[in-house]
Amino acid sequence: GDLFTVGGAARAQANLGVTNASTAQTTANAANSRLDAAIASGQSLVSNPGFEDTAQWTTHGTYNTTIKRTGLRSMQVVGTGGQRFVNLVVTRTGDGQITQSGGGRTYYVEVWVYGDNANTLTGAGTHVGIGVWGYDVGLGYVTSSAGSLYASAATIGKNSWVKLSGTVTTATNATIASVRPMIYVTPDVPAGNTFYFDDPVAIDVTEAVAADLKAQATIDSIVQAVDGGSATGATAATTK
């Protein structure tokens, strides 16, 4: 009698775990949908996403009308052997920034990149990318504050547009007073090698990502309790 009672209790507990896991999965799916909705909302921090307004300030880049993915222009960045940044939050008179204190925010970023046919680099260590950098009240860069997404020149290739996309997180640092999304070319890109950027996006998805992670963590804890240790993997939802 005791054996059947124990067995029945175990089955009931397992069924409860399955029910809870199903409910948690529904919550996770909803959180994932909120993340997708946040990305699709179009609330980008980028002030000149198609690089169509040539009156907007730019440093380390040149408006280009020959190679573009959409519209009439792209942003051309030529390697010099030094770091080349193009701030994506600008005005007609200079660089701008987004006020956000303390850092620790997560952003969905994407940009399309085109490698010039005359480029000579092929190494995996030469990088181009997009990211979000943190600045103090005096607009000095806060060391190690950036969250960035990059690809090697070999991945970008030549004569075609390649999309870089994903989520990045700035460091949590009380010194951070504002942030700037930027596209960039690293110093190891040889002088004269050229990349074109178009249609950049930077959207704050901190709350949506946090909800997704929390929901996935809940599923993990339930699965571990029921089957003795298997986990689903508490990671943020895959972005576009």
Side-chain angles (χ1 to χ4, degrees), residues 9-238:
R11 283 194 298 273
Q13 182 62 37
N15 290 336
L16 177 61
V18 170
T19 300
N20 288 345
S22 177
T23 300
Q25 184 63 61
T26 299
T27 301
N29 291 341
N32 198 337
S33 296
R34 286 197 296 273
L35 177 57
D36 288 340
I39 293 171
S41 68
Q43 298 171 352
S44 180
L45 305 179
V46 179
S47 60
N48 191 18
F51 302 116
E52 301 301 321
D53 185 358
T54 58
Q56 296 275 15
W57 177 266
T58 182
T59 57
H60 295 176
T62 305
Y63 291 104
N64 184 277
T65 59
T66 302
I67 297 175
K68 65 273 187 183
R69 177 177 173 270
T70 60
L72 300 176
R73 298 173 180 83
S74 66
M75 181 60 65
Q76 177 183 356
V77 182
V78 181
T80 63
Q83 195 91 331
R84 308 293 286 173
F85 289 107
V86 177
N87 185 5
L88 298 176
V89 180
V90 293
T91 67
R92 289 174 179 264
T93 57
D95 287 318
Q97 53 277 328
I98 304 298
T99 300
Q100 280 183 356
S101 300
R105 306 289 295 179
T106 298
Y107 304 86
Y108 171 77
V109 295
E110 72 175 48
V111 69
W112 291 83
V113 187
Y114 184 106
D116 192 87
N117 186 54
N119 286 355
T120 59
L121 50 79
T122 58
T126 51
H127 295 135
V128 298
I130 182 171
V132 181
W133 276 251
Y135 290 81
D136 60 27
V137 292
L139 297 182
Y141 170 62
V142 177
T143 303
S144 300
S145 66
S148 64
L149 185 73
Y150 60 85
S152 69
T155 299
I156 300 300
K158 301 178 182 180
N159 294 331
S160 63
W161 289 98
V162 176
K163 182 182 179 181
L164 307 182
S165 66
T167 55
V168 300
T169 302
T170 55
T172 300
N173 190 319
T175 307
I176 296 175
S178 62
V179 295
R180 290 174 176 171
M182 293 193 282
I183 51 178
Y184 65 92
V185 172
T186 56
D188 46 17
V189 171
N193 282 257
T194 302
F195 293 92
Y196 304 86
F197 297 80
D198 209 354
D199 303 317
V201 172
I203 301 171
D204 190 330
V205 293
T206 305
E207 284 71 29
V209 169
D212 187 36
L213 289 172
K214 182 177 180 180
Q216 292 294 341
T218 299
I219 295 174
D220 283 348
S221 64
I222 292 171
V223 171
Q224 290 173 25
V226 172
D227 70 10
S230 178
T232 62
T235 57
T238 300

